[in-house]
């Protein structure tokens, strides 16, 4: 996706010697997890543009640039700095960065600050390691000058510089008291970084720093924000998406004790009160007449999905659509193929269901400055949207990123942040916190797209693949969320179709995207396109294997003969699951593979099906993953487990339906998610290699649906092509 960083040179301005400390880096700190870390952050903020602050007490404060939403980034990224700095991890304090995209922007997101799409480690890993190595050279240079010895004679151990020839040592904190930053900073290349085999921290199972506070209940999420004089807000949105208010009667709201005011908004009506309960009661008491003429008025899921299916299976690209990827002759050979396998795949909308509901707090100052506290995946997007709507310059907007109680792509969007910003504008300088109810959350999510896919595979007389055609149809994510990228790509929606790109050794293939415009906001749902595109790809690979009377594992290995990392994870997961072993009566295994986010993963599931009820039971899941350098291997396994659980829930149970533009679900009672007693044993093996780190947070999800579908096909002879595979749908298929 992008070229690797080879050299980093920081300007002298980026190395600052402060009062009793030497500060090195490219950002500033803001309050984070605990009181001690907040104190460290405040000290660091006295020296702007810094990654690292080394105090005279030996405490090393390292800035973490990405949002922490349970994926471990607040530990993994600082570990990369500490590794080549040779810091003593027991003396490291970690502080969440402020919003400073010039300093902290992720190059894989075009330089903005955002966390998601499995790009954090891939975007920051080498940069942070080089920054730590450069800081270490500055410390070595200062110690060499102090002792009047060649720098080449010095070495480091965690937190200490050694001159072994004279048996002298000096702690980093002692060096911080006198260090002078050289006018010409040392240049560090990737070749100078520690070999992985010599690393103290990278590749080791370091405890995550956020776990202790979360276990004690001391961790501060957005919903925990408390500010002096804080007011509380709630927002009533229309029952039909994108509908407009015609009139409002707020007499009932005014009668609620604690009510302060109503605030008309471009997309609904806001209420401000002196407590959360009063704000919600006042919102519920509003009487609003809506225009009932929204673009989504005719949006009924079952009917729309039929039209998507028609668009996906209409292979005349001239009518609508763009080419995503083409190899060789594309689909041209399919017309003359001896046999053509065809299949349609359907996926319903799904909600994110983050444990922490959407919330944000904002405050306006008299000089049109805005400060925001939010559990956001993208402070850059929160800043941009707030600036566009309020006309306040971005440099006058400060975003404090808190811990996130789940993200899964939902908190990339900034609608919940905008609620707080607009209500705070009407609050006479007082901060306002807006907390969505679960019903608000379910009915106004940025859903996983509803998608139809059509796949045709041409086979010759020997059942070899001679052409592959994959067409996807649905509402665009990028057309709404990133219109510039959507336009620059000529109408291709990279998140929507990701995962359809081909790694198998098939010479002639064509992938297309047929955009449908129905007005429903869709967004980034964990693994985004991979959750449905891999379902299509991997089940079709199984169908071709069946046509060849080949074992699905052996067939994949044959098609991946030029991809040794892919072969390795498939072989390993087959070994873990004892693939060739006969299963108990009524059970079968299914396999699937994914190469998304520069990570190779293969999964095998063991399932059974109750043919009377249609319920699928998953008894075991095995996964083998090669993500290259695993910064924290145990955490990699945990993230894979989490994504598998999320994928199991989505592929078996979850579904949002619209009727005439209105969402029918509202809470967990009618939007069921997988319960703990429904989660099978999950066995994950991390296969560490010396390849550059790949993405981890989402990689476990794409293979789970096709692996289940392939296992069910083995049991019943029926192909599951409509997600979710709920009991009613499976029962109907088996009837």
């Amino acid at each position: 996706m992008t070229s690797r960083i080879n050299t980093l040179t920081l300007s002298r301005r980026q190395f600052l010697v402060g009062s009793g400390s030497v500060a090195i880096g490219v950002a500033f700190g803001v309050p984070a997890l605990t009181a001690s870390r907040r104190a460290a952050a405040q000290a660091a903020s006295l020296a702007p543009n810094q990654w690292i602050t080394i105090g005279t007490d030996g405490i090393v404060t390292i800035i973490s640039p990405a949002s922490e939403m349970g994926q471990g980034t607040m530990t993994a990224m600082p570990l990369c700095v500490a590794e080549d700095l040779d810091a003593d991890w027991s003396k490291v304090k970690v502080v969440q960065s402020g919003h400073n995209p010039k300093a902290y922007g992720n190059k894989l997101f075009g330089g903005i600050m955002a966390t998601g799409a499995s790009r954090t480690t891939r975007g920051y890993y080498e940069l942070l390691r080089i920054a730590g190595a450069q800081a270490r050279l500055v410390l070595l240079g200062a110690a060499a000058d102090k002792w009047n010895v060649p720098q080449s004679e010095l070495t480091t151990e965690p937190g200490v510089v050694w001159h072994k020839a004279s048996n002298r040592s000096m702690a980093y904190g002692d060096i911080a008291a006198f260090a002078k930053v050289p006018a010409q900073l040392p240049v560090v290349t990737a070749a100078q970084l520690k070999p992985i085999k010599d690393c103290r921290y990278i590749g080791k199972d370091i405890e995550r720093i956020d776990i202790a506070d979360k276990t004690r209940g001391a961790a501060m999420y957005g919903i925990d924000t408390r500010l002096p004089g804080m007011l509380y807000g709630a927002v009533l949105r229309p029952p039909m998406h994108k509908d407009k208010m015609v009139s409002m009667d707020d007499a009932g709201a005014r009668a609620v004790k604690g009510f302060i005011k109503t605030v008309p908004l471009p997309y609904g009506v806001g209420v401000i009160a002196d407590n959360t309960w009063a704000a919600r009661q006042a919102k519920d008491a509003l009487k609003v007449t809506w225009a009932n003429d929204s673009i989504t008025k005719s949006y009924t899921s079952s009917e729309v999905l039929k039209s998507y299916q028609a668009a996906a299976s209409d292979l005349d690209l001239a009518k609508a659509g763009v080419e995503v990827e083409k190899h060789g002759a594309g689909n041209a050979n399919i017309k003359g193929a001896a046999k053509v396998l065809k299949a349609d795949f359907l996926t319903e909308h799904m909600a994110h269901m983050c444990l922490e509901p959407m919330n944000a707090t904002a405050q306006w100052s008299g000089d049109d400055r805005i400060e925001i506290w939010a559990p956001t995946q993208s402070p850059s997007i929160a800043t941009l949207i707030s600036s566009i709507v309020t006309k306040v310059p971005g440099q006058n907007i400060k975003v404090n990123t808190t811990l996130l109680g789940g993200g899964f792509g939902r908190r990339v969007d900034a609608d919940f942040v905008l609620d707080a910003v607009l209500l705070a504008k009407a609050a006479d300088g007082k901060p306002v916190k807006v907390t969505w109810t679960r019903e608000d959350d379910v009915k106004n999510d940025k859903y996983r797209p509803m998608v139809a896919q059509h796949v045709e595979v041409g086979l010759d007389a020997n059942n070899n693949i001679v052409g592959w055609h994959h067409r996807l149809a649905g509402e665009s994510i990028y057309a709404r969320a990133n219109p510039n990228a959507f336009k620059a790509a000529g109408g291709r929606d990279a998140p929507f179709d990701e995962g359809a790109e081909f790694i198998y050794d098939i010479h002639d293939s064509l992938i297309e995207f047929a955009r449908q415009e129905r007005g429903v906001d869709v967004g980034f749902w964990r693994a985004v396109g991979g959750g449905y595109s891999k379902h299509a790809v991997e089940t079709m690979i199984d169908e071709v294997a069946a046509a060849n009377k080949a074992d699905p594992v052996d067939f994949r290995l044959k098609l991946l003969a030029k991809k040794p990392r892919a072969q390795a994870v498939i072989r390993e997961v087959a070994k873990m699951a004892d693939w060739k072993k006969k299963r108990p009566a009524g059970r079968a295994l299914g396999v699937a593979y994914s190469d998304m986010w520069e990570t190779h993963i293969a999964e095998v599931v063991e399932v059974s099906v109750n043919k009377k009820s249609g319920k699928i039971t998953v008894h075991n899941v095995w996964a083998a993953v090669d993500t290259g350098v695993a910064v924290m291997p145990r955490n990699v396994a945990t993230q894979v487990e989490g994504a598998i659980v999320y994928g199991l829930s989505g592929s078996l149970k979850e579904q949002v339906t619209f009727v005439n533009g209105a969402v029918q679900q509202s809470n967990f009672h009618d939007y069921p998610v997988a319960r703990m007693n429904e989660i099978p044993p999950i066995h994950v093996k991390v296969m560490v290699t010396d390849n550059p780190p790949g993405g981890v947070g989402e990689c476990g999800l794409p293979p789970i649906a096709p692996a289940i579908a392939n296992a069910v096909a083995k049991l019943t002879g029926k192909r599951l092509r409509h997600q979710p595979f709920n009991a009613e749908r499976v029962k109907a298929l088996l009837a």
Side-chain angles (χ1 to χ4, degrees):
M1 178 174 286
T2 186
S3 59
R4 299 184 69 202
I5 300 172
N6 293 316
T7 304
L8 173 69
T9 303
L10 301 180
S11 69
R12 190 177 191 281
R13 179 178 176 82
Q14 292 167 321
F15 284 74
L16 301 174
V17 179
S19 175
S21 68
V22 55
I24 307 166
V26 291
F28 62 92
V30 297
L33 298 174
T34 63
S36 63
R37 290 177 191 151
R38 285 195 292 273
Q42 290 160 3
S45 69
L46 298 174
N49 302 324
Q50 53 197 299
W51 277 113
I52 307 161
T53 300
I54 305 173
T56 55
D57 58 359
I59 299 298
V60 177
T61 301
I62 301 177
I63 306 299
S64 181
S67 300
E68 176 59 78
M69 49 187 163
Q71 80 280 37
T73 186
M74 191 169 272
T75 306
M77 294 304 93
L79 269 179
C80 294
V81 177
E83 183 64 72
D84 291 276
L85 174 62
D86 219 356
D88 181 345
W89 186 249
S90 69
K91 295 182 178 180
V92 167
K93 299 293 183 184
V94 177
V95 175
Q96 177 68 53
S97 69
H99 179 235
N100 187 344
K102 288 184 178 179
Y104 284 135
N106 187 328
K107 63 175 182 172
L108 298 186
F109 282 113
I112 69 167
M113 291 186 67
T115 305
S118 291
R119 296 183 186 182
T120 297
T121 302
R122 290 188 293 149
Y124 288 112
Y125 172 79
E126 195 166 275
L127 171 68
L128 294 180
R129 289 198 63 188
I130 289 175
Q134 193 167 37
R136 175 178 172 274
L137 290 178
V138 170
L139 295 173
L140 286 172
D145 290 344
K146 183 74 170 179
W147 283 329
N148 194 26
V149 298
Q151 183 174 322
S152 60
E153 294 183 3
L154 302 182
T155 59
T156 59
E157 292 183 5
V160 178
V161 173
W162 278 92
H163 184 236
K164 294 185 178 179
S166 61
N167 199 29
R168 286 181 289 179
S169 66
M170 196 181 310
Y172 285 5
D174 295 333
I175 299 173
F178 64 82
K180 302 293 183 183
V181 179
Q184 184 64 43
L185 298 177
V187 174
V188 178
T189 67
Q192 293 172 258
L193 300 177
K194 285 185 190 178
I196 294 300
K197 65 181 179 60
D198 296 334
C199 287
R200 300 177 188 273
Y201 306 130
I202 292 174
K204 309 300 190 297
D205 287 321
I206 306 296
E207 293 297 326
R208 279 174 42 177
I209 65 165
D210 55 321
I211 298 301
D213 284 350
K214 289 176 177 177
T215 303
R216 296 196 306 268
M220 299 299 292
Y221 294 87
I223 205 167
D224 298 316
T225 301
R226 300 288 188 275
L227 298 171
M230 187 167 74
L231 301 178
Y232 300 83
V235 175
L236 178 66
R237 286 174 162 81
M240 184 190 303
H241 283 211
K242 291 184 169 59
D243 214 349
K244 300 296 182 182
M245 182 178 69
V246 174
S247 63
M248 174 188 64
D249 178 358
D250 65 354
R254 292 176 180 276
V256 173
K257 184 179 179 181
F259 169 87
I260 295 175
K261 65 168 64 174
T262 53
V263 183
L265 300 172
Y267 46 81
V269 184
V271 175
I272 300 176
D274 62 14
N275 65 82
T276 298
W277 181 240
R280 291 180 178 178
Q281 286 184 305
K283 181 193 77 168
D284 292 342
L286 291 170
K287 294 181 179 180
V288 178
T289 300
W290 305 99
N292 198 35
D293 61 359
S294 166
I295 186 176
T296 63
K297 182 178 181 179
S298 62
Y299 195 94
T300 296
S301 300
S302 57
E303 296 303 314
V304 172
L305 191 55
K306 290 178 184 177
S307 71
Y308 285 8
Q309 184 175 359
S313 58
D314 183 350
L315 302 184
D316 182 0
L317 185 60
K319 291 185 177 179
V322 296
E323 182 180 294
V324 172
E325 185 178 283
K326 181 179 180 180
H327 297 286
N331 64 331
N333 297 336
I334 293 177
K335 291 182 179 179
K339 182 190 299 183
V340 180
L341 303 178
K342 299 181 180 181
D344 290 306
F345 297 86
L346 307 174
T347 306
E348 303 285 347
H349 286 300
M350 295 184 191
H352 293 80
M353 307 305 281
C354 302
L355 185 60
E356 177 192 20
M358 300 302 107
N359 70 90
T361 303
Q363 183 173 19
W364 286 61
S365 60
D367 56 350
D368 265 358
R369 291 182 177 273
I370 305 171
E371 185 163 7
I372 298 166
W373 295 260
T376 174
Q377 287 180 243
S378 180
S380 289
I381 293 176
T383 300
L384 176 64
I385 297 300
S386 298
S387 178
I388 290 172
V389 174
T390 65
K391 310 302 182 186
V392 172
Q395 62 266 28
N396 290 350
I397 300 174
K398 179 181 179 182
V399 178
N400 303 296
T401 302
T402 65
L403 291 175
L404 284 61
F408 315 125
R410 174 63 180 95
R411 299 185 201 267
V412 172
D413 275 284
D415 48 348
F416 59 96
V417 176
L418 191 60
D419 286 353
V421 168
L422 293 180
L423 292 190
K425 185 177 183 180
D428 301 321
K430 293 184 178 180
V432 176
K433 179 165 76 171
V434 177
T435 305
W436 290 24
T437 63
R438 182 62 64 186
E439 288 76 13
D440 293 333
D441 204 6
V442 174
K443 289 185 175 295
N444 299 283
D445 202 343
K446 306 298 184 187
Y447 307 100
R448 179 162 108 167
M450 187 165 66
V451 181
Q453 303 175 81
H454 182 79
V455 181
E456 294 193 2
V457 184
L459 306 179
D460 66 14
N462 295 317
N463 289 320
N464 296 310
I465 298 174
V466 295
W468 181 286
H469 193 180
H470 187 171
R471 186 174 170 90
L472 303 93
E475 190 85 47
S476 172
I477 299 171
Y478 258 10
R480 175 192 67 84
N482 196 346
N484 290 337
F486 183 73
K487 183 178 179 180
R492 179 190 172 184
D493 190 330
F496 184 97
D497 61 56
E498 68 179 341
E501 303 95 339
F502 234 62
I503 191 174
Y504 290 106
D505 189 10
I506 297 173
H507 185 267
D508 302 294
S509 62
L510 175 65
I511 304 165
E512 298 167 342
F513 166 51
R515 180 189 176 190
Q516 309 299 297
E517 299 181 64
R518 299 302 183 98
V520 169
D521 289 347
V522 296
F524 308 97
W525 194 91
R526 193 172 187 175
V528 201
Y532 46 82
S533 65
K534 288 300 184 190
H535 173 206
V537 171
E538 287 297 302
T539 53
M540 290 305 291
I541 289 293
D542 252 42
E543 286 201 49
V544 179
N548 280 270
K549 296 182 171 53
D551 178 89
V553 166
D554 294 338
F555 189 70
R556 283 174 172 80
L557 292 174
K558 178 182 177 182
L559 289 180
L560 293 166
K562 300 175 183 177
K563 306 289 183 180
R565 293 176 68 190
Q567 286 192 321
V569 294
I570 292 172
R571 285 196 178 98
E572 184 60 34
V573 80
K575 179 180 176 183
M576 292 168 65
D578 203 353
W579 175 260
K580 299 289 187 180
K581 180 181 177 181
K582 186 177 180 180
R583 316 320 287 188
R587 295 191 184 187
L589 300 184
V591 64
Y593 161 77
S594 171
D595 62 314
M596 297 181 69
W597 309 292
E598 301 173 20
T599 290
H600 298 268
I601 184 168
E603 294 175 8
V604 170
V605 300
E606 181 181 29
V607 309
S608 63
V609 181
N610 185 319
K611 295 182 179 180
K612 289 184 178 181
S613 68
K615 181 182 178 182
I616 297 172
T617 299
V618 180
H619 299 280
N620 277 289
V621 180
W622 295 270
V625 56
D626 170 9
T627 187
V629 172
V631 177
M632 299 161 61
R634 186 171 61 197
N635 190 62
V636 169
T638 300
Q639 294 309 302
V640 171
E641 283 186 35
I644 288 172
V645 170
Y646 206 76
L648 281 170
S649 184
S651 61
L652 294 177
K653 301 173 78 78
E654 299 181 37
Q655 178 175 337
V656 167
T657 54
F658 284 75
V659 175
N660 297 327
V663 175
Q664 301 303 293
Q665 290 72 31
S666 62
N667 209 314
F668 288 109
H669 71 285
D670 56 7
Y671 186 91
V673 299
R675 303 284 179 161
M676 290 182 67
N677 65 348
E678 297 175 295
I679 304 304
I682 300 173
H683 320 271
V684 180
K685 181 169 183 178
V686 180
M687 301 170 65
V688 178
T689 65
D690 60 359
N691 294 284
V696 168
E698 300 168 285
C699 69
L701 193 149
I704 197 68
I708 293 171
N710 289 336
V712 171
K714 191 179 295 185
L715 271 178
T716 68
K718 300 292 186 179
R719 297 283 176 185
L720 297 177
R721 295 183 174 132
H722 191 165
Q723 288 192 58
F725 313 140
N726 56 42
E728 295 79 9
R729 196 163 283 144
V730 175
K731 183 179 179 180
L733 182 67
L734 298 178

